Amino acid sequence: MQSDLSEFESRIGYSFQQRELLIRALTHKSYSHEAKNNALRDNETFEFLGDSVLGFVIGDLLFRRFPELDEGAMSKMKAYLVSSTSLARKARDYGMGDVLFLGVGEEKSGGRKKDSLLANLFEAMLAAVYLDGGIDPVRNLIQQSFTEDLEAIDADDLLFQDYKTALQERAQGRGLPLPEYNVIDEVGPDHDKRFIVEVRVGSHVTRGEGTSKKEAQQQAAKHALRELVEDA
């Protein structure tokens, strides 16, 4: 086990001075309950602290990378970056699930592969690094974990494909009527149907197409956003 944890430390690029912090970060409540050892504490409160540390560092990174953006835009970027799906992917990249201490029942139910569990584990690990070494090493770990994500962010697409919300906010900001969506056509067989949706914002009318009404609405909103920006 010690060898496995040393390999894990190499993967995250941090060696713990207080090994008990690492052990606690890796201890799921199902394991500590089954162990019936009062001295063995689980990682739930670590998740709380790790979430706070992650939020602070990601907020700082976004602020420095996009100083021209407003609070709303950066909040949406932050929510995208720290979603459960995103954090679970980070945990898998480091092989955190492989060294997690799980109870028998959770093990049998595939706990090592659950997004929610892995996301919580990632946050717990950040807390452990912070408690062991302070803000600098945990900032380094977060930065290396999210470098590709931060570089891939398109500052012109602030809502990450939630174009309907973006269009509504843009319309309200310009004093225009709220967008109105209408399905104007359905084409193709039932197993491969495509929907065509029209969105009207004041005098602007654009269309979008998709395999579902929701997707078609998003595409229509995306085109409408471009028109509003060009017409500004």
Side-chain angles (χ1 to χ4, degrees):
M1 181 61 68
Q2 295 299 318
S3 175
D4 289 343
L5 293 182
S6 295
E7 293 174 5
F8 171 71
E9 287 175 307
S10 296
R11 290 200 294 273
I12 67 172
Y14 182 77
S15 296
F16 282 83
Q17 300 298 313
Q18 304 173 74
R19 183 54 67 95
E20 64 272 16
L21 293 173
L22 173 57
I23 297 297
R24 184 173 174 185
L26 292 172
T27 302
H28 188 258
K29 62 182 179 180
S30 63
Y31 184 89
S32 60
H33 289 170
E34 290 181 12
K36 297 180 179 179
N37 180 351
N38 292 332
L40 184 62
R41 304 178 66 184
D42 63 53
N43 64 11
E44 282 198 335
T45 55
F46 273 28
E47 295 168 14
F48 169 79
L49 177 58
D51 175 69
S52 298
V53 172
L54 177 63
F56 165 70
V57 174
I58 289 294
D60 181 59
L61 292 172
L62 286 172
F63 179 83
R64 295 176 187 279
R65 181 170 175 78
F66 302 105
E68 75 285 358
L69 296 185
D70 60 26
E71 178 186 3
M74 285 194 284
S75 293
K76 288 161 184 140
M77 285 184 170
K78 178 182 172 184
Y80 168 80
L81 290 171
V82 302
S83 68
S84 292
T85 300
S86 172
L87 300 188
R89 186 167 58 249
K90 309 302 179 192
R92 290 190 181 94
D93 289 343
Y94 289 116
M96 290 186 181
D98 298 337
V99 292
L100 176 63
F101 301 123
L102 274 181
V104 175
E106 193 65 51
E107 183 80 62
K108 290 182 178 179
S109 67
R112 294 184 191 278
K113 297 181 180 180
K114 293 179 180 177
D115 275 9
S116 59
L117 191 152
L118 289 172
N120 291 339
L121 175 57
F122 183 80
E123 291 177 337
M125 188 57 57
L126 296 180
V129 173
Y130 172 72
L131 291 170
D132 190 67
I135 192 64
D136 288 339
V138 76
R139 180 185 175 87
N140 290 338
L141 177 56
I142 292 170
Q143 200 159 5
Q144 75 180 24
S145 301
F146 287 89
T147 294
E148 290 186 6
D149 304 80
L150 287 165
E151 290 178 350
I153 286 179
D154 182 354
D156 294 324
D157 188 9
L158 303 180
L159 298 184
F160 304 97
Q161 299 184 6
D162 186 5
Y163 300 110
K164 289 182 65 178
T165 301
L167 179 60
Q168 179 173 315
E169 292 180 351
R170 173 77 66 168
Q172 289 176 321
R174 294 183 55 182
L176 296 171
L178 292 179
E180 296 180 5
Y181 297 87
N182 291 295
V183 177
I184 60 172
D185 201 1
E186 299 179 15
V187 297
D190 288 341
H191 68 276
D192 190 25
K193 189 179 294 294
R194 297 191 67 81
F195 298 86
I196 299 174
V197 166
E198 183 178 271
V199 61
R200 179 182 297 272
V201 185
S203 61
H204 295 270
V205 180
T206 54
R207 293 182 178 183
E209 182 177 334
T211 56
S212 68
K213 294 178 183 178
K214 183 177 180 180
E215 181 184 351
Q217 289 175 344
Q218 289 283 3
Q219 290 302 312
K222 179 179 180 180
H223 299 321
L225 270 171
R226 288 177 178 169
E227 285 197 6
L228 288 179
V229 170
E230 293 171 359
D231 193 42

